Amino acid sequence: MYLLQLFNGLSISSILLLVALGLAITFGLMKVINMAHGELIMIGAYSTYLTQNIFKAYLPASMFDWYFVLAIPASFAIAFVVGLILEMSLIRFLYGRPLDSLLATWGVGLVLQQLARSIFGAPNVAVTSPSWLDGGLMIMDGTLLPYKRLFIIALVIACLVAMYFYIYRSHEGRRMRAVMQNRDMAACLGVSTRRVDAMTFAIGSGIAGIAGCALTLMGSIGPSLGTYYIVDAFMVVVLGGVGKLVGTVLGAMGIGMFNTLFEYWTNASLGKVLVFVCIVAFLQWKPMGFVAMRSRSLD
Amino acid sequence: MKKRLFYQLGLLLVAFALVLAGCGGNNNEPASTNGEASKVTDAPAEDGIKVGILHSQSGTMAISEVSVIDAEMMAIDEINAAGGVLGKKIIPVLEDGASDWPTFAEKARKLISEDKVATVFGGWTSASRKAMKPVFEELNGLLWYPVQYEGLEASPNIFYTGATTNQQIVPSVTWLLENRGKKFYLLGSDYVFPRTANLIIKEQLKAEGGELVGEEYTPLGHTDYATIISKIKEAKPDVVYNTLNGDSNVAFFKQLKDAGITSKDITTLSVSVAEEEIRGIGVDVLEGHLAAWNYYQTTDTPTNKTFVENYKKKYGDERVTADPIEAGYTAVYLWAAAVEKAGSTDVAKVKEAAKDLEWDAPEGKVKIDGETQHIYKTVRIGEVQSDGQFKELWNSGEAVKPDPYLKGYDWAASIQPTE
């Protein structure tokens, strides 16, 4: 049973991490308190729903199971575009004003929720998971690891690796880090900070879209989907240490594992309270989170 | 460095504000839509009878309540087309409760004192009803509440057209004990309805020879049930009695299926999953699971056939009817019948006329119980089929007399109203 609990913890951590990864970029790197992050997740979920419907309507039934493969890039693309529009029309004017951006993005979140309600209707919609993700891996008698949870863990690892290569090993990533660390210096050296900002925000949004796609396997798809995850996402990023990918991973692992343990020992409500108590205590001790960003800039 | 620390603490504060907001069941979201003006149909007020319709048109509860508004509007349209009540047209005044309980109370007060409505149809959650109750009692208004609830209430100013516990939960527990097994696991959302319902179920299990193997509550909006499902697996119950509400149901049933538990392994019976919810959860994960209600879209009565047809014609073929929708529709007709009988819309006269009033509802014959102002209803247990509809496995045969305080059950003696 402890093995299963361990797996549950890992699975919850992976979901938290997926939800928080996009935010680790928009909030962690760019310092935009992006309250619309949850709604970008919702957009990803609805994109999956749309992809499913297109497959249902136009392709033979034998192809249906593969809609999910296409849904992942589709969710990324749609959320990416929405993020890009959001950055260029609003966020751009709010850099360095955290409280303003908090209120503005919250407003955007409400608008997007209502928009989803108008387009898709207030009730939840159903996404049928592909049949190749049904069932699970039986490792011991009575211990079943569902394929969907394994799939999400794999997806998170893939996203992490892709992000690592993008941020730390590519030209664009280098420019991005340069701008985030010292905007003026980067601009002096000929980096178009505007373009980098827009791209960075859009990528963060796109990853939120992927998270939304994955969440259709686990939970409800409705206009208020984002609100269930936004608090957890911020918690993960703040606990992990703003601005570091490794920190986000550790933050998600910490919250996920402890949440499962506490929930197992007590109950769901109390478990959540205990996790928050631990987070508060931890941040008292280390206000910068698990991994503090070392920077020579004076701020 | 100091500045950065300050910045971080600021973020923490923000995050905490969010946590508090999140824990409130996300009820604060619709605050921005409170300013919405009420809609009144064009007809001049003097040659019609105004009635209030007060449900959430925005916020988390809009998901469920919007369909009830549709059903109530349909009933009003039908009655108007047939000549209205007392020769006058019914004029609905719509207000948005916005999933926010104080807003419900405020809008109820406005409907009664400013719009001078004859009656109000409204509410869904127990919290919204409890918020409106003192207003209706103070101003001597009349409220028709259309949703099954936890019982232990009988306000002289409210008619309850949904089931109380002895018309839904109590008979379903008895049926499960007889047909599915003795070991019960209780799972619910953490608020007043599931906790009260489970209090009753626990007493009943003790009295009728059942065994409680586990009891869990999760916060509204909880999204991960992996741990709870492991606990359920360890406890090995015969039945999971599910009083989860809202989106949590989706997460629970999807993850239950992933964990390899089907309706053949463990029976689950839900009291908040109706036809509408099935569409959002997905038939593939719900097939074979049970629910207890008083009405299904498939309920075989002549009135229901026309009701379902008209509803679909009016609102679209993909729409489904469900228990609370039917109860809202019934409420409007019962009120209209009572007004006709009383010859007036005066609250005291309508209440007097409503005693023992019968009507052929889509769920079958219903009768108002004058003493408790609840209605006699038939209990039905249904199983989800692959088309997203219910197949009725059992019904009580006749309409059950409402007993909100469970006076007719010896084992319920220790259960007291929480107020």
Side-chain angles (χ1 to χ4, degrees), chain A residues 130-157:
Chain A
S131 59
W132 46 271
L133 283 175
D134 282 348
L137 194 67
M138 187 73 88
I139 50 165
M140 254 189 291
D141 195 36
T143 308
L144 186 79
L145 310 184
Y147 287 135
K148 279 176 200 155
R149 289 184 183 273
L150 290 170
F151 177 79
I152 290 177
I153 294 175
L155 186 65
V156 171
I157 293 171

PDB file of all heavy atoms in Angstrom, chain A residues 130-157:
ATOM      1  N   PRO A 130      -8.713   8.554 -24.802  1.00  0.00           N
ATOM      2  CA  PRO A 130      -8.430   7.512 -25.784  1.00  0.00           C
ATOM      3  C   PRO A 130      -8.315   6.151 -25.115  1.00  0.00           C
ATOM      4  O   PRO A 130      -7.840   6.049 -23.986  1.00  0.00           O
ATOM      5  CB  PRO A 130      -7.091   7.944 -26.377  1.00  0.00           C
ATOM      6  CG  PRO A 130      -6.511   8.893 -25.393  1.00  0.00           C
ATOM      7  CD  PRO A 130      -7.649   9.549 -24.699  1.00  0.00           C
ATOM      8  N   SER A 131      -8.723   5.113 -25.823  1.00  0.00           N
ATOM      9  CA  SER A 131      -8.802   3.806 -25.168  1.00  0.00           C
ATOM     10  C   SER A 131      -7.420   3.240 -24.847  1.00  0.00           C
ATOM     11  O   SER A 131      -7.282   2.404 -23.958  1.00  0.00           O
ATOM     12  CB  SER A 131      -9.580   2.830 -26.055  1.00  0.00           C
ATOM     13  OG  SER A 131      -8.938   2.702 -27.298  1.00  0.00           O
ATOM     14  N   TRP A 132      -6.373   3.731 -25.547  1.00  0.00           N
ATOM     15  CA  TRP A 132      -5.051   3.188 -25.218  1.00  0.00           C
ATOM     16  C   TRP A 132      -4.530   3.696 -23.888  1.00  0.00           C
ATOM     17  O   TRP A 132      -3.489   3.275 -23.409  1.00  0.00           O
ATOM     18  CB  TRP A 132      -4.030   3.432 -26.337  1.00  0.00           C
ATOM     19  CG  TRP A 132      -4.014   4.822 -26.913  1.00  0.00           C
ATOM     20  CD1 TRP A 132      -4.772   5.261 -27.952  1.00  0.00           C
ATOM     21  CD2 TRP A 132      -3.208   5.933 -26.510  1.00  0.00           C
ATOM     22  NE1 TRP A 132      -4.489   6.578 -28.219  1.00  0.00           N
ATOM     23  CE2 TRP A 132      -3.536   7.015 -27.354  1.00  0.00           C
ATOM     24  CE3 TRP A 132      -2.237   6.130 -25.515  1.00  0.00           C
ATOM     25  CZ2 TRP A 132      -2.942   8.274 -27.236  1.00  0.00           C
ATOM     26  CZ3 TRP A 132      -1.647   7.375 -25.405  1.00  0.00           C
ATOM     27  CH2 TRP A 132      -1.997   8.433 -26.256  1.00  0.00           C
ATOM     28  N   LEU A 133      -5.268   4.637 -23.267  1.00  0.00           N
ATOM     29  CA  LEU A 133      -4.859   5.072 -21.934  1.00  0.00           C
ATOM     30  C   LEU A 133      -5.731   4.454 -20.849  1.00  0.00           C
ATOM     31  O   LEU A 133      -5.573   4.740 -19.675  1.00  0.00           O
ATOM     32  CB  LEU A 133      -4.908   6.594 -21.837  1.00  0.00           C
ATOM     33  CG  LEU A 133      -3.740   7.313 -22.508  1.00  0.00           C
ATOM     34  CD1 LEU A 133      -3.938   8.813 -22.459  1.00  0.00           C
ATOM     35  CD2 LEU A 133      -2.427   6.950 -21.839  1.00  0.00           C
ATOM     36  N   ASP A 134      -6.687   3.631 -21.245  1.00  0.00           N
ATOM     37  CA  ASP A 134      -7.510   2.958 -20.241  1.00  0.00           C
ATOM     38  C   ASP A 134      -6.708   1.859 -19.565  1.00  0.00           C
ATOM     39  O   ASP A 134      -5.751   1.340 -20.127  1.00  0.00           O
ATOM     40  CB  ASP A 134      -8.746   2.332 -20.905  1.00  0.00           C
ATOM     41  CG  ASP A 134      -9.794   3.382 -21.195  1.00  0.00           C
ATOM     42  OD1 ASP A 134      -9.645   4.498 -20.674  1.00  0.00           O
ATOM     43  OD2 ASP A 134     -10.732   3.095 -21.952  1.00  0.00           O
ATOM     44  N   GLY A 135      -7.136   1.527 -18.372  1.00  0.00           N
ATOM     45  CA  GLY A 135      -6.469   0.433 -17.677  1.00  0.00           C
ATOM     46  C   GLY A 135      -5.193   0.898 -17.014  1.00  0.00           C
ATOM     47  O   GLY A 135      -4.954   2.092 -16.850  1.00  0.00           O
ATOM     48  N   GLY A 136      -4.357  -0.066 -16.630  1.00  0.00           N
ATOM     49  CA  GLY A 136      -3.153   0.316 -15.910  1.00  0.00           C
ATOM     50  C   GLY A 136      -2.162  -0.813 -15.837  1.00  0.00           C
ATOM     51  O   GLY A 136      -2.412  -1.927 -16.314  1.00  0.00           O
ATOM     52  N   LEU A 137      -1.034  -0.472 -15.230  1.00  0.00           N
ATOM     53  CA  LEU A 137       0.048  -1.434 -15.115  1.00  0.00           C
ATOM     54  C   LEU A 137      -0.079  -2.127 -13.757  1.00  0.00           C
ATOM     55  O   LEU A 137      -0.051  -1.474 -12.723  1.00  0.00           O
ATOM     56  CB  LEU A 137       1.370  -0.674 -15.199  1.00  0.00           C
ATOM     57  CG  LEU A 137       2.645  -1.452 -15.418  1.00  0.00           C
ATOM     58  CD1 LEU A 137       2.633  -2.084 -16.798  1.00  0.00           C
ATOM     59  CD2 LEU A 137       3.829  -0.512 -15.284  1.00  0.00           C
ATOM     60  N   MET A 138      -0.253  -3.448 -13.792  1.00  0.00           N
ATOM     61  CA  MET A 138      -0.386  -4.171 -12.535  1.00  0.00           C
ATOM     62  C   MET A 138       0.998  -4.564 -12.060  1.00  0.00           C
ATOM     63  O   MET A 138       1.686  -5.328 -12.737  1.00  0.00           O
ATOM     64  CB  MET A 138      -1.250  -5.418 -12.777  1.00  0.00           C
ATOM     65  CG  MET A 138      -1.624  -6.184 -11.533  1.00  0.00           C
ATOM     66  SD  MET A 138      -2.861  -5.334 -10.549  1.00  0.00           S
ATOM     67  CE  MET A 138      -4.357  -5.961 -11.299  1.00  0.00           C
ATOM     68  N   ILE A 139       1.475  -3.975 -10.946  1.00  0.00           N
ATOM     69  CA  ILE A 139       2.820  -4.347 -10.515  1.00  0.00           C
ATOM     70  C   ILE A 139       2.790  -5.367  -9.390  1.00  0.00           C
ATOM     71  O   ILE A 139       3.718  -6.119  -9.196  1.00  0.00           O
ATOM     72  CB  ILE A 139       3.656  -3.124 -10.069  1.00  0.00           C
ATOM     73  CG1 ILE A 139       2.870  -2.275  -9.086  1.00  0.00           C
ATOM     74  CG2 ILE A 139       4.103  -2.320 -11.261  1.00  0.00           C
ATOM     75  CD1 ILE A 139       3.744  -1.298  -8.365  1.00  0.00           C
ATOM     76  N   MET A 140       1.716  -5.344  -8.624  1.00  0.00           N
ATOM     77  CA  MET A 140       1.590  -6.353  -7.580  1.00  0.00           C
ATOM     78  C   MET A 140       0.117  -6.625  -7.409  1.00  0.00           C
ATOM     79  O   MET A 140      -0.702  -5.895  -7.949  1.00  0.00           O
ATOM     80  CB  MET A 140       2.159  -5.822  -6.267  1.00  0.00           C
ATOM     81  CG  MET A 140       3.494  -6.404  -5.889  1.00  0.00           C
ATOM     82  SD  MET A 140       3.894  -5.896  -4.246  1.00  0.00           S
ATOM     83  CE  MET A 140       4.192  -4.173  -4.428  1.00  0.00           C
ATOM     84  N   ASP A 141      -0.213  -7.621  -6.669  1.00  0.00           N
ATOM     85  CA  ASP A 141      -1.619  -7.925  -6.479  1.00  0.00           C
ATOM     86  C   ASP A 141      -2.316  -6.720  -5.854  1.00  0.00           C
ATOM     87  O   ASP A 141      -1.957  -6.285  -4.766  1.00  0.00           O
ATOM     88  CB  ASP A 141      -1.765  -9.152  -5.567  1.00  0.00           C
ATOM     89  CG  ASP A 141      -3.178  -9.683  -5.656  1.00  0.00           C
ATOM     90  OD1 ASP A 141      -3.744  -9.624  -6.759  1.00  0.00           O
ATOM     91  OD2 ASP A 141      -3.691 -10.133  -4.629  1.00  0.00           O
ATOM     92  N   GLY A 142      -3.280  -6.181  -6.559  1.00  0.00           N
ATOM     93  CA  GLY A 142      -4.055  -5.079  -6.013  1.00  0.00           C
ATOM     94  C   GLY A 142      -3.408  -3.717  -6.184  1.00  0.00           C
ATOM     95  O   GLY A 142      -3.979  -2.707  -5.822  1.00  0.00           O
ATOM     96  N   THR A 143      -2.188  -3.676  -6.688  1.00  0.00           N
ATOM     97  CA  THR A 143      -1.569  -2.376  -6.898  1.00  0.00           C
ATOM     98  C   THR A 143      -1.541  -2.090  -8.392  1.00  0.00           C
ATOM     99  O   THR A 143      -0.774  -2.692  -9.135  1.00  0.00           O
ATOM    100  CB  THR A 143      -0.141  -2.344  -6.323  1.00  0.00           C
ATOM    101  OG1 THR A 143      -0.228  -2.793  -4.976  1.00  0.00           O
ATOM    102  CG2 THR A 143       0.437  -0.965  -6.372  1.00  0.00           C
ATOM    103  N   LEU A 144      -2.396  -1.166  -8.793  1.00  0.00           N
ATOM    104  CA  LEU A 144      -2.555  -0.877 -10.205  1.00  0.00           C
ATOM    105  C   LEU A 144      -2.097   0.557 -10.451  1.00  0.00           C
ATOM    106  O   LEU A 144      -2.543   1.478  -9.788  1.00  0.00           O
ATOM    107  CB  LEU A 144      -4.036  -1.033 -10.580  1.00  0.00           C
ATOM    108  CG  LEU A 144      -4.392  -0.904 -12.041  1.00  0.00           C
ATOM    109  CD1 LEU A 144      -4.068  -2.187 -12.786  1.00  0.00           C
ATOM    110  CD2 LEU A 144      -5.872  -0.593 -12.182  1.00  0.00           C
ATOM    111  N   LEU A 145      -1.163   0.724 -11.391  1.00  0.00           N
ATOM    112  CA  LEU A 145      -0.747   2.075 -11.740  1.00  0.00           C
ATOM    113  C   LEU A 145      -1.460   2.471 -13.025  1.00  0.00           C
ATOM    114  O   LEU A 145      -1.150   1.945 -14.087  1.00  0.00           O
ATOM    115  CB  LEU A 145       0.770   2.135 -11.950  1.00  0.00           C
ATOM    116  CG  LEU A 145       1.642   1.527 -10.842  1.00  0.00           C
ATOM    117  CD1 LEU A 145       3.116   1.754 -11.161  1.00  0.00           C
ATOM    118  CD2 LEU A 145       1.306   2.128  -9.491  1.00  0.00           C
ATOM    119  N   PRO A 146      -2.437   3.392 -12.937  1.00  0.00           N
ATOM    120  CA  PRO A 146      -3.209   3.735 -14.129  1.00  0.00           C
ATOM    121  C   PRO A 146      -2.309   4.331 -15.216  1.00  0.00           C
ATOM    122  O   PRO A 146      -1.434   5.145 -14.929  1.00  0.00           O
ATOM    123  CB  PRO A 146      -4.201   4.781 -13.621  1.00  0.00           C
ATOM    124  CG  PRO A 146      -4.249   4.595 -12.150  1.00  0.00           C
ATOM    125  CD  PRO A 146      -2.912   4.104 -11.745  1.00  0.00           C
ATOM    126  N   TYR A 147      -2.537   3.913 -16.468  1.00  0.00           N
ATOM    127  CA  TYR A 147      -1.744   4.436 -17.583  1.00  0.00           C
ATOM    128  C   TYR A 147      -1.851   5.950 -17.707  1.00  0.00           C
ATOM    129  O   TYR A 147      -0.903   6.611 -18.101  1.00  0.00           O
ATOM    130  CB  TYR A 147      -2.210   3.792 -18.900  1.00  0.00           C
ATOM    131  CG  TYR A 147      -1.807   2.346 -19.053  1.00  0.00           C
ATOM    132  CD1 TYR A 147      -2.704   1.391 -19.507  1.00  0.00           C
ATOM    133  CD2 TYR A 147      -0.502   1.949 -18.745  1.00  0.00           C
ATOM    134  CE1 TYR A 147      -2.331   0.063 -19.639  1.00  0.00           C
ATOM    135  CE2 TYR A 147      -0.129   0.620 -18.881  1.00  0.00           C
ATOM    136  CZ  TYR A 147      -1.050  -0.326 -19.321  1.00  0.00           C
ATOM    137  OH  TYR A 147      -0.682  -1.625 -19.442  1.00  0.00           O
ATOM    138  N   LYS A 148      -3.034   6.480 -17.375  1.00  0.00           N
ATOM    139  CA  LYS A 148      -3.203   7.925 -17.527  1.00  0.00           C
ATOM    140  C   LYS A 148      -2.249   8.681 -16.628  1.00  0.00           C
ATOM    141  O   LYS A 148      -1.657   9.681 -17.010  1.00  0.00           O
ATOM    142  CB  LYS A 148      -4.642   8.314 -17.190  1.00  0.00           C
ATOM    143  CG  LYS A 148      -5.577   8.057 -18.344  1.00  0.00           C
ATOM    144  CD  LYS A 148      -7.002   8.349 -17.993  1.00  0.00           C
ATOM    145  CE  LYS A 148      -7.903   7.630 -18.960  1.00  0.00           C
ATOM    146  NZ  LYS A 148      -9.206   7.359 -18.401  1.00  0.00           N
ATOM    147  N   ARG A 149      -2.106   8.185 -15.387  1.00  0.00           N
ATOM    148  CA  ARG A 149      -1.198   8.873 -14.468  1.00  0.00           C
ATOM    149  C   ARG A 149       0.249   8.701 -14.927  1.00  0.00           C
ATOM    150  O   ARG A 149       1.052   9.629 -14.843  1.00  0.00           O
ATOM    151  CB  ARG A 149      -1.399   8.341 -13.048  1.00  0.00           C
ATOM    152  CG  ARG A 149      -2.723   8.801 -12.461  1.00  0.00           C
ATOM    153  CD  ARG A 149      -2.887   8.370 -11.014  1.00  0.00           C
ATOM    154  NE  ARG A 149      -4.196   8.767 -10.498  1.00  0.00           N
ATOM    155  CZ  ARG A 149      -4.454   9.955  -9.952  1.00  0.00           C
ATOM    156  NH1 ARG A 149      -3.496  10.836  -9.826  1.00  0.00           N
ATOM    157  NH2 ARG A 149      -5.658  10.243  -9.524  1.00  0.00           N
ATOM    158  N   LEU A 150       0.576   7.496 -15.428  1.00  0.00           N
ATOM    159  CA  LEU A 150       1.931   7.279 -15.953  1.00  0.00           C
ATOM    160  C   LEU A 150       2.180   8.202 -17.145  1.00  0.00           C
ATOM    161  O   LEU A 150       3.255   8.789 -17.277  1.00  0.00           O
ATOM    162  CB  LEU A 150       2.094   5.812 -16.379  1.00  0.00           C
ATOM    163  CG  LEU A 150       2.129   4.798 -15.244  1.00  0.00           C
ATOM    164  CD1 LEU A 150       2.041   3.378 -15.798  1.00  0.00           C
ATOM    165  CD2 LEU A 150       3.392   4.958 -14.414  1.00  0.00           C
ATOM    166  N   PHE A 151       1.152   8.334 -17.985  1.00  0.00           N
ATOM    167  CA  PHE A 151       1.278   9.178 -19.165  1.00  0.00           C
ATOM    168  C   PHE A 151       1.560  10.629 -18.770  1.00  0.00           C
ATOM    169  O   PHE A 151       2.410  11.298 -19.359  1.00  0.00           O
ATOM    170  CB  PHE A 151      -0.011   9.086 -19.994  1.00  0.00           C
ATOM    171  CG  PHE A 151      -0.013   9.969 -21.207  1.00  0.00           C
ATOM    172  CD1 PHE A 151       0.666   9.593 -22.351  1.00  0.00           C
ATOM    173  CD2 PHE A 151      -0.690  11.181 -21.188  1.00  0.00           C
ATOM    174  CE1 PHE A 151       0.671  10.410 -23.469  1.00  0.00           C
ATOM    175  CE2 PHE A 151      -0.690  12.003 -22.303  1.00  0.00           C
ATOM    176  CZ  PHE A 151      -0.011  11.613 -23.441  1.00  0.00           C
ATOM    177  N   ILE A 152       0.839  11.103 -17.744  1.00  0.00           N
ATOM    178  CA  ILE A 152       1.046  12.490 -17.326  1.00  0.00           C
ATOM    179  C   ILE A 152       2.464  12.675 -16.785  1.00  0.00           C
ATOM    180  O   ILE A 152       3.125  13.679 -17.068  1.00  0.00           O
ATOM    181  CB  ILE A 152      -0.021  12.906 -16.286  1.00  0.00           C
ATOM    182  CG1 ILE A 152      -1.378  13.011 -16.983  1.00  0.00           C
ATOM    183  CG2 ILE A 152       0.347  14.234 -15.642  1.00  0.00           C
ATOM    184  CD1 ILE A 152      -2.533  13.346 -16.076  1.00  0.00           C
ATOM    185  N   ILE A 153       2.958  11.681 -16.039  1.00  0.00           N
ATOM    186  CA  ILE A 153       4.330  11.778 -15.540  1.00  0.00           C
ATOM    187  C   ILE A 153       5.305  11.876 -16.719  1.00  0.00           C
ATOM    188  O   ILE A 153       6.198  12.728 -16.742  1.00  0.00           O
ATOM    189  CB  ILE A 153       4.663  10.560 -14.645  1.00  0.00           C
ATOM    190  CG1 ILE A 153       3.815  10.602 -13.374  1.00  0.00           C
ATOM    191  CG2 ILE A 153       6.154  10.540 -14.302  1.00  0.00           C
ATOM    192  CD1 ILE A 153       3.957   9.407 -12.470  1.00  0.00           C
ATOM    193  N   ALA A 154       5.084  11.037 -17.742  1.00  0.00           N
ATOM    194  CA  ALA A 154       5.955  11.067 -18.918  1.00  0.00           C
ATOM    195  C   ALA A 154       5.861  12.412 -19.632  1.00  0.00           C
ATOM    196  O   ALA A 154       6.872  12.983 -20.053  1.00  0.00           O
ATOM    197  CB  ALA A 154       5.575   9.936 -19.870  1.00  0.00           C
ATOM    198  N   LEU A 155       4.638  12.914 -19.729  1.00  0.00           N
ATOM    199  CA  LEU A 155       4.427  14.196 -20.413  1.00  0.00           C
ATOM    200  C   LEU A 155       5.162  15.324 -19.686  1.00  0.00           C
ATOM    201  O   LEU A 155       5.781  16.195 -20.306  1.00  0.00           O
ATOM    202  CB  LEU A 155       2.926  14.488 -20.469  1.00  0.00           C
ATOM    203  CG  LEU A 155       2.487  15.709 -21.272  1.00  0.00           C
ATOM    204  CD1 LEU A 155       2.802  15.499 -22.742  1.00  0.00           C
ATOM    205  CD2 LEU A 155       0.998  15.974 -21.091  1.00  0.00           C
ATOM    206  N   VAL A 156       5.100  15.308 -18.356  1.00  0.00           N
ATOM    207  CA  VAL A 156       5.783  16.342 -17.581  1.00  0.00           C
ATOM    208  C   VAL A 156       7.276  16.269 -17.826  1.00  0.00           C
ATOM    209  O   VAL A 156       7.943  17.293 -18.032  1.00  0.00           O
ATOM    210  CB  VAL A 156       5.502  16.158 -16.078  1.00  0.00           C
ATOM    211  CG1 VAL A 156       6.380  17.085 -15.272  1.00  0.00           C
ATOM    212  CG2 VAL A 156       4.059  16.436 -15.789  1.00  0.00           C
ATOM    213  N   ILE A 157       7.813  15.058 -17.820  1.00  0.00           N
ATOM    214  CA  ILE A 157       9.256  14.909 -18.036  1.00  0.00           C
ATOM    215  C   ILE A 157       9.624  15.442 -19.424  1.00  0.00           C
ATOM    216  O   ILE A 157      10.589  16.199 -19.581  1.00  0.00           O
ATOM    217  CB  ILE A 157       9.672  13.432 -17.859  1.00  0.00           C
ATOM    218  CG1 ILE A 157       9.479  13.037 -16.396  1.00  0.00           C
ATOM    219  CG2 ILE A 157      11.132  13.237 -18.265  1.00  0.00           C
ATOM    220  CD1 ILE A 157       9.653  11.570 -16.110  1.00  0.00           C
TER     221      ILE A 157
END
